């Protein structure tokens, strides 16, 4: 039995389809400040999804754009000094406009410059933090850093820490792993959609952060529900792509095609969502 | 009846094929200073076309390279401070060498830093400005800026402004849209080749700017004719790619394959070009 | 008759397969500091190979990462000031840790900033220099620079210079061409694997530099043997990809798939390696 009747698995499946429909109709403008490895990939993922990406990451423009964008993604994968300044400019500017924003703290804990920046950015209350287990642990000041950009600890190792972090930021924390764990500090959702090939292409997680940004820009939903929809849609597209793939190269191509062909009904039918408690009350 | 007998639709189709042949034989060296999202894509498009791309965008090298390159592309999509300085260095250096250059003023009007830079660069007489409607309007100091990087106004809304702008720069202005409008201020051409999938991949327009740069480096042609050939070749390749595509991912892959397989005869047969006035005099 | 009994063609084929196996088991962490055009491509190539790439190229992090990485790649394709500082930081830091590192001196000789940097970096004894003929000649202070990023001289023109350069650095020099020449100053190997389509995609050589970095991080091998294995594996994957390709776009996709599906037995059977002297003594 859940406190919030909307937070149940079958409802979330239906709502995920509805939100994809809403996204297709509204074509949200997503400001993408991301790392040098995944700029092209993230932009193509957003276009395939039906959103409108723009990488405005120059000082003097990042703040202007953040005021008019529907959502902002900040990914700390290659945070050169100019981009760090642009990130701060964008995050502060979006505050006045109330723009939702997503923080993807790539390799936080393992590398000092981004760790300091990410910690400071927590004060700006990211609407969603999308990260792997090690990054969530590091952001919360606990746990071992990974050696590289990939997680070494299971998602379950960070559940309590993620709940606490979500309560601290007032937003959602989404941990990517074999199953993804999403929490707003009160309610929590597991998303089982996805495919292991996502870990064999670069930006498999980074692009998910961009998709989350597109979804949390939508109206008449909650951050947890919209974040869940993002993970479900991306994961279903990955499952479809994996069926047509001969390896990571053809998988990435097929993932773009699958995202572009995704319909609300496919989302409702394909969603594999679990909640911490049992199914819907009704 | 056109003033210039070379500017007629059937001639332009034949000439487009000839120029592709000339490009294949000369393998022009194109300096590409472009945005962080489309560097890889633009380089691959140029290689598939048969040109030789090089991204020399560092201060102290950009000018050196601009003197020996056959053409220079300047795309303002992510103009960080170092790249802005390199752009100015390259544009000034190519002046002495007479290198043709293409300006792609991405999101000009919507964002202040690039708007200022683009306006200044007009004094250096870009051989071709390739842009969407909103960008042309903004560059000319008129019209509404788009919210993001995509055009919101029809091409027809900027025809007069484009003619005036071409007369001001002494070069060509090419507006990308459902049909593309190219003008040198006196003559004008419409190119109907292309496919809507170009708007569902990132860099669909940016890469066209690179293709234009490769073509306007050729000898024994005019800027308008060479720019038309670029739009025709790119558009025909996009049409072929769309026939083999299941979505934007496979379309991008097929576009590279189609460009690499493009022959002059296919260009002559596939060109869909109209001029403002009627067909050829002869 | 070779001085070193391990340096014979059939041994190298077997060892190349063994080393791929070892790479699959150890999943080396490769720090990639590379040019803006090929970041995504290089990371995907490394992931497909079975390595773990990370692009840590920010001052304050590059050195930290170089101490824990298994290997470091430095590619000078777009050396902006911040990246140049990060390169120096990483190269110095990896010295203390003994991390092997690969230098890819893109367009050295043609452009002044990178030429100066590359020359300075020689003092840090790159484990492997992977380059084309013109770059090797330029790095050794002899020969004509190419106009762009592509080689204009045959590999044979730089053999003696490469041997001398390898003796100077104490590492391996690998020249990419129709056949690749690898030398440690004493022994030398020719690798005939590969496909001409590698020259029609951007980063065909740059990604090979990343693959070399992954292989030279392995234990119980020599720099020459490991570099040879890298060239063999990459070349065999390219041959397989070419069989399924309709052009450069589908070739790049198929190359990732082929690399991900590469098995040691395929490497042993497919290796085409020659040594300067005759076959094995035994």
């Amino acid at each position: 039995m859940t406190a919030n009747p909307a937070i149940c698995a079958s409802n979330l499946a239906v709502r995920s389809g509805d939100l994809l429909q809403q996204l297709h109709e509204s074509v949200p403008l997503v400001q993408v400040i991301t790392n040098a490895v995944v700029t092209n990939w993230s932009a193509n993922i957003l276009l395939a999804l039906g959103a409108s990406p723009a990488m405005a990451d120059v000082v003097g423009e990042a703040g202007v754009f953040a005021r008019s964008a529907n959502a902002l993604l900040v990914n700390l994968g290659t945070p050169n000094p100019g981009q760090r300044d642009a990130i701060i400019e964008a995050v502060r500017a979006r505050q006045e406009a109330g723009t939702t924003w997503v923080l993807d703290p790539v390799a936080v804990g393992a590398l000092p410059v981004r760790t300091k920046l990410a910690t400071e950015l927590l004060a700006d209350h990211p609407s969603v933090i999308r990260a792997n287990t090690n990054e969530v642990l590091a952001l919360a000041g606990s746990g071992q850093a990974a050696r590289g950009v990939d997680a070494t600890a299971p998602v379950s190792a960070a559940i309590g820490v993620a709940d606490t972090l979500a309560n601290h930021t007032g937003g959602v924390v989404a941990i990517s792993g074999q199953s993804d764990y999403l929490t707003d500090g009160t309610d929590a959702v597991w998303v089982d959609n996805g495919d292991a090939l996502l870990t064999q292409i670069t930006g498999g997680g980074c692009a998910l952060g961009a998709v989350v940004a597109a979804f949390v820009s939508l109206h008449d939903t909650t951050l947890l529900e919209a974040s869940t929809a993002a993970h479900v849609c991306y994961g279903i597209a990955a499952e479809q792509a994996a069926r047509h793939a001969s390896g990571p190269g053809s998988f990435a191509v097929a993932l773009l095609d699958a995202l572009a062909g995704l319909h609300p009904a496919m989302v409702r039918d394909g969603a594999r969502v679990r909640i911490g408690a049992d199914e819907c009350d009704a």
Side-chain angles (χ1 to χ4, degrees), chain A:
Chain A
M1 189 155 51
T2 52
N4 181 347
I7 299 294
C8 73
S10 57
N11 273 4
L12 279 170
V14 172
R15 288 292 294 150
S16 293
D18 294 347
L19 288 171
L20 179 64
Q21 180 73 34
Q22 191 183 326
L23 190 151
H24 284 167
E25 286 161 7
S26 62
V27 190
L29 182 61
V30 182
Q31 182 174 8
V32 175
I33 304 185
T34 193
N35 70 72
V37 184
V38 303
T39 47
N40 182 272
W41 172 243
S42 302
N44 272 327
I45 284 284
L46 283 174
L47 282 167
L49 179 69
S52 177
M55 192 184 182
D57 72 342
V58 171
V59 169
E61 296 191 338
V64 174
F65 205 88
R67 280 187 202 94
S68 67
N70 296 110
L72 165 68
L73 168 70
V74 171
N75 175 303
L76 302 181
T78 53
N80 66 60
Q83 203 187 51
R84 293 201 296 273
D85 291 343
I87 287 170
I88 290 167
E89 181 182 296
V91 168
R92 297 287 142 81
R94 68 89 231 162
Q95 197 166 16
E96 305 158 29
T99 314
T100 50
W101 76 288
V102 175
L103 175 64
D104 192 332
V106 180
V108 158
L111 292 169
V113 173
R114 67 194 67 194
T115 303
K116 182 168 175 293
L117 177 56
T119 306
E120 290 167 7
L121 289 171
L122 289 183
D124 291 287
H125 303 288
S127 314
V128 183
I129 296 169
R130 194 219 65 86
N132 67 31
T133 307
N134 294 73
E135 292 156 357
V136 168
L137 291 173
L139 211 50
S142 60
Q144 279 277 304
R147 273 178 75 219
V149 296
D150 298 316
T152 54
V155 172
S156 57
I159 287 181
V161 167
D163 292 340
T164 305
L165 185 58
N167 278 319
H168 175 63
T169 62
V172 160
V173 175
I175 316 176
S176 296
Q178 193 164 6
S179 292
D180 303 321
Y181 178 80
L182 295 85
T183 175
D184 63 7
T186 303
D187 291 302
V189 179
W190 288 93
V191 177
D192 295 327
N193 294 107
D195 191 275
L197 275 166
L198 283 173
T199 65
Q200 292 181 39
I201 58 170
T202 197
C206 296
L208 173 56
V211 170
V212 170
F215 272 93
V216 294
S217 76
L218 301 175
H219 298 295
D220 303 321
T221 180
T222 65
L223 291 173
L224 183 58
E225 187 180 69
S227 300
T228 300
H231 282 69
V232 164
C233 290
Y234 188 74
I236 290 175
E239 291 166 11
Q240 293 180 350
R243 272 178 231 128
H244 300 96
S246 310
S250 48
F251 172 72
V253 173
L255 179 52
L256 292 172
D257 286 356
L259 261 182
L262 206 61
H263 291 301
M266 294 154 72
V267 174
R268 281 193 294 271
D269 294 347
R272 292 188 285 139
V273 181
R274 291 174 286 129
I275 49 171
D278 290 340
E279 276 298 300
C280 299
D281 301 1

